[in-house]
Amino acid sequence: MGAALAQSGPADARRFGESAFSSVTFTGGRYQRSRFDDVWLQAVRVVGSGLAETTWLDGEVRDSVLAGAQLYGAQLHRTLFHRCKFDSVNLRTATLRHVTFVDCLLRDVDFGGATLTGVSFPGSTLDRARFDKATLSGVDLRRAEGLGVASGLEDLKGATISPAQLLDLAPALARVVGLTVQDA
């Protein structure tokens, strides 16, 4: 059965261990500095909620929506997102280690200043993603269905892309390095 949670007071620094959430909506809640260990979320909606500086370890999120969620400074380790939609999610200064986004839509997601290590995006679409001042290591974008980068192209060092993606990004990369491309 589904539920909707609209939080009236703060739930900062809560611990959720070995928990499962199904068909739940979190609207406008504050969960700063909370810890999510071995959690499973199915068909969950997180709308306008504060999840800053949270820690996620060994989690799985499926068929869920995160819209306007604040995850800046969060620590995500060994977390799988499968068929999720991210819309205007703030992951600035977050640390993502061994996180996989499978068949997800990431629209207007801000990875500015984030550290991404061993992160992959198979089947996912990044639309207007921002990577300004991000640090990437072992990030695999090759199997992403779409790679739309709004800003921070110069900060994609440490990512691997496919030859086709390089061709798609070529005009924007040329602008970043100051090249003028025109016919003779």
Side-chain angles (χ1 to χ4, degrees):
M1 173 179 278
L5 300 175
Q7 190 164 329
S8 58
D12 292 341
R14 301 284 188 204
R15 295 179 73 83
F16 300 92
E18 298 181 3
S19 301
F21 298 90
S22 180
S23 301
V24 177
T25 298
F26 296 90
T27 304
R30 288 186 28 219
Y31 305 94
Q32 282 82 353
R33 295 176 298 287
S34 292
R35 187 171 177 96
F36 298 86
D37 291 341
D38 197 21
V39 296
W40 180 80
L41 291 84
Q42 170 73 38
V44 171
R45 293 180 45 84
V46 179
V47 181
S49 294
L51 294 159
E53 300 173 356
T54 52
T55 301
W56 298 73
L57 178 64
D58 296 323
E60 186 171 341
V61 183
R62 294 184 163 273
D63 302 306
S64 296
V65 174
L66 287 88
Q70 299 297 317
L71 281 142
Y72 57 86
Q75 306 280 323
L76 288 82
H77 305 279
R78 296 187 309 264
T79 302
L80 168 69
F81 295 95
H82 196 266
R83 290 186 311 267
C84 293
K85 180 180 177 184
F86 293 73
D87 199 348
S88 300
V89 173
N90 180 349
L91 283 160
R92 292 183 71 78
T93 69
T95 300
L96 289 78
R97 285 196 186 107
H98 306 291
V99 174
T100 305
F101 297 91
V102 179
D103 298 329
C104 294
L105 171 61
L106 294 92
R107 181 179 297 133
D108 294 314
V109 174
D110 191 348
F111 293 103
T115 301
L116 288 76
T117 305
V119 177
S120 62
F121 299 85
S124 293
T125 299
L126 287 88
D127 182 16
R128 298 184 308 266
R130 290 180 296 286
F131 289 95
D132 303 282
K133 298 184 179 151
T135 303
L136 283 62
S137 174
V139 172
D140 192 345
L141 294 163
R142 291 175 294 181
R143 293 180 27 220
E145 289 293 317
L147 183 54
V149 178
S151 63
L153 278 169
E154 63 277 12
D155 295 308
L156 289 179
K157 179 182 176 185
T160 303
I161 62 173
S162 71
Q165 289 169 325
L166 175 60
L167 291 175
D168 289 342
L169 292 174
L173 287 169
R175 281 191 300 277
V176 166
V177 298
L179 288 175
T180 301
V181 180
Q182 64 186 35
D183 291 325

